[in-house]
Amino acid sequence: MQTIDHRERREKTERAADMTSKWAIPSALDCPLPRNVIRQTPIDPVMRWALYLLLLMSFLLMGVLFLGEYLALHRWETHGQVTTAIIEDAHTVVEHRRNRSDWRCVINYSYATTDRTYIRGKDSGPLEDGCQSEIGKTISVRYLREQPEESIPTSTIATLKRQGVILIISAVGCIGFLIICVRCALFLFSQKEKRLLAWGTPVAGTIYKSCIFRRKGVLYLRIWCRYSSQDGRAHTVRRTFSLFDQILLFNQRDKSCSILKKFQDNTTVLYDPTHPWLAALYPLEIFKINESAPRHQTPIPAKEDAPIS
């Protein structure tokens, strides 16, 4: 068994060495630094539509919640009859939640409708100074003329308004903060990729592993590639490709074979000599080299701060 494993490892090493010996630097990278870099497609269709759909669903959910709360409060303010009520009883209750327990004050009050019918109502609120001290106090309530047994204190309506405004502001703030974070992350990633393409060192790479996996109904191809830096140390770079195809969805696996074949023919890795672990499989995703631009007549030496930090 050990002899077979050793033989397989030796064959893989020989195949990798053979692939590396056939490697040739792509013509687009064989030019003085910095290379002329231009932007291409910034994001694949699946991720772009997923972000748009997530943003749309977030605003729709927030709009439905806000509209439901607004209609409920509008109904009380438009159709509710204002009257006074006397608190007859008050007691504390505890509400158990996942990580904590909240004490609340439950009050029972009675009020008279326009036809002199006395009706009892009930409400609860956060426990503040004392619950028993509320007994005997007079409060303002609203009740529905067609359903006089339904009532709500006017102070609770005001509290619900404040909570709704705070909820909307918080939701908009969280969504905005999330969008800003995603945009900043994409910007930083694109800038690193741009500088890597402009100043990176091309070397031969060897694809030693690949797999196809499914995420949210879409197939992806992931490639692991090994390369050696100038100091002789081996490093690994990984890249994931979306196999999403709106026309030929049934050819996704054929598409993965074509991607593998393209990179196996001439596997090129761009890495930063200052930080050899910072690398990417060429060609990159967001930027490409403008081959139509005029090249420098004389090589331009890289500055000390040119490599990616």
Side-chain angles (χ1 to χ4, degrees):
M1 181 64 69
Q2 293 180 355
T3 305
I4 296 176
D5 293 341
H6 177 72
R7 186 184 306 167
E8 291 179 353
R9 286 197 299 269
R10 184 176 62 183
E11 291 176 355
K12 289 182 179 180
T13 304
E14 291 176 354
R15 287 197 300 267
D18 182 63
M19 292 176 61
T20 304
S21 64
K22 295 179 180 179
W23 176 80
I25 181 173
S27 59
L29 298 177
D30 190 14
C31 62
L33 301 181
R35 305 179 185 92
N36 195 325
V37 179
I38 58 175
R39 179 179 287 271
Q40 57 181 352
T41 304
I43 192 170
D44 63 80
V46 176
M47 186 176 295
R48 180 172 63 247
W49 284 109
L51 290 176
Y52 289 158
L53 183 61
L54 178 62
L55 184 62
L56 179 62
M57 292 299 295
S58 300
F59 278 108
L60 284 178
L61 179 61
M62 184 175 60
V64 169
L65 294 176
F66 174 76
L67 181 61
E69 189 71 18
Y70 170 79
L71 292 178
L73 295 178
H74 181 73
R75 176 169 174 261
W76 280 111
E77 292 183 336
T78 304
H79 303 284
Q81 301 292 318
V82 180
T83 186
T84 57
I86 299 177
I87 299 177
E88 299 178 343
D89 180 60
H91 59 276
T92 57
V93 295
V94 59
E95 293 183 353
H96 298 285
R97 299 186 179 181
R98 292 182 179 179
N99 299 323
R100 60 190 178 91
S101 300
D102 293 334
W103 288 89
R104 300 181 64 84
C105 181
V106 178
I107 59 173
N108 296 305
Y109 55 86
S110 62
Y111 58 94
T113 61
T114 53
D115 57 357
R116 298 298 179 180
T117 302
Y118 285 88
I119 299 177
R120 293 180 178 273
K122 185 178 181 180
D123 190 39
S124 66
L127 182 63
E128 296 177 352
D129 297 336
C131 192
Q132 295 294 326
S133 60
E134 300 293 324
I135 299 177
K137 289 185 177 180
T138 301
I139 60 174
S140 175
V141 299
R142 285 181 179 267
Y143 69 94
L144 299 177
R145 179 175 297 179
E146 61 276 11
Q147 295 175 320
E149 65 277 0
E150 295 187 11
S151 64
I152 184 174
T154 54
S155 60
T156 301
I157 297 178
T159 301
L160 292 176
K161 283 184 177 180
R162 290 193 301 269
Q163 291 178 350
V165 172
I166 294 175
L167 179 62
I168 294 297
I169 294 176
S170 301
V172 173
C174 290
I175 295 176
F177 179 75
L178 180 62
I179 294 175
I180 292 174
C181 290
V182 172
R183 295 290 296 179
C184 289
L186 293 176
F187 174 77
L188 293 176
F189 175 77
S190 65
Q191 290 304 304
K192 283 193 174 184
E193 183 176 291
K194 181 179 180 180
R195 297 188 66 184
L196 186 61
L197 187 58
W199 296 95
T201 300
V203 294
T206 303
I207 296 176
Y208 67 94
K209 182 182 177 182
S210 64
C211 73
I212 296 177
F213 63 95
R214 186 180 298 273
R215 179 187 297 165
K216 294 183 178 180
V218 179
L219 289 179
Y220 290 86
L221 169 67
R222 182 164 293 170
I223 295 176
W224 285 265
C225 179
R226 186 179 290 112
Y227 66 97
S228 297
S229 55
Q230 293 176 348
D231 56 5
R233 295 185 177 181
H235 303 274
T236 300
V237 61
R238 184 183 68 180
R239 184 168 169 184
T240 303
F241 300 87
S242 170
L243 302 181
F244 178 79
D245 195 327
Q246 293 180 343
I247 300 176
L248 299 175
L249 291 176
F250 53 88
N251 283 337
Q252 289 178 326
R253 294 189 179 274
D254 294 340
K255 184 179 179 181
S256 68
C257 294
S258 64
I259 293 174
L260 272 175
K261 182 66 169 57
K262 180 182 68 175
F263 281 95
Q264 286 173 349
D265 288 343
N266 192 349
T267 307
T268 302
V269 176
L270 279 171
Y271 79 97
D272 178 14
T274 308
H275 305 92
W277 63 88
L278 188 58
L281 198 61
Y282 180 82
L284 304 186
E285 300 179 74
I286 302 178
F287 293 94
K288 65 179 181 179
I289 297 175
N290 186 10
E291 300 185 36
S292 62
R295 298 190 176 186
H296 303 291
Q297 298 298 326
T298 57
I300 296 179
K303 299 180 181 180
E304 295 182 356
D305 57 345
I308 303 170
S309 58

